[in-house]
Amino acid sequence: MALAGLPLVLLVGTLGRIPGSEGEKETPAHFLHQTKHECLFLNGTQRVRYLHRDFYDRQEIDYFDSDLGKFVAVTPLGQPDVEKWNRDKQILQDQKAAVDFFCRQNYERGSYEAAKREERLIGRK
């Protein structure tokens, strides 16, 4: 019974180090990568701004801004990707089209008009 837990302990011990780390620094076994898509609506759907933002370990590394029409690096970590994406016309075209197929389409689905309710007079007339 005591040997059943042994492989798990050894596995957890190996997750702390990733082979190939340089400079005797250990690469973290767990990291956080997030992508966020934001739509900013100014004047309904007349003026829409689309942002595609990438985060690594809770720090923004790059983003696409539809007003600028290109990717922008926030940190040096995002610079190589931004240079590659800005050279690729198809990626830029897809990101620019996101204003219509992501933002405007979801705006129309998510917006609704509340039904007007009839005012009732309670009490004596």
Side-chain angles (χ1 to χ4, degrees):
M1 189 62 130
L3 292 178
L6 184 61
L8 180 62
V9 172
L10 293 175
L11 178 63
V12 171
T14 59
L15 286 177
R17 287 188 195 150
I18 296 176
S21 60
E22 300 165 3
E24 296 183 15
K25 290 185 178 180
E26 294 182 4
T27 306
H30 301 284
F31 61 91
L32 178 67
H33 179 261
Q34 290 180 320
T35 299
K36 293 185 180 184
H37 303 270
E38 297 177 22
C39 297
L40 305 172
F41 297 95
L42 308 166
N43 191 15
T45 58
Q46 296 300 315
R47 184 157 175 337
V48 181
R49 182 178 180 195
Y50 170 71
L51 294 172
H52 174 155
R53 302 167 65 196
D54 290 317
F55 296 85
Y56 179 79
D57 278 346
R58 295 179 287 169
Q59 182 179 9
E60 186 175 13
I61 57 174
D62 56 51
Y63 65 91
F64 174 82
D65 188 348
S66 65
D67 284 352
L68 298 174
K70 65 178 184 176
F71 287 90
V72 178
V74 178
T75 64
L77 181 63
Q79 190 64 38
D81 290 331
V82 165
E83 290 173 359
K84 181 178 81 174
W85 294 332
N86 283 335
R87 283 192 305 265
D88 191 341
K89 300 301 179 196
Q90 185 63 42
I91 291 175
L92 289 176
Q93 184 179 4
D94 291 344
Q95 291 296 317
K96 290 176 187 176
V99 172
D100 291 324
F101 79 80
F102 183 74
C103 294
R104 287 195 174 103
Q105 181 180 357
N106 288 331
Y107 180 84
E108 292 168 4
R109 286 185 184 171
S111 64
Y112 62 92
E113 291 183 19
K116 290 187 176 183
R117 61 182 192 153
E118 199 174 296
E119 297 279 334
R120 286 192 269 171
L121 185 61
I122 300 175
R124 297 185 191 189
K125 287 188 177 182

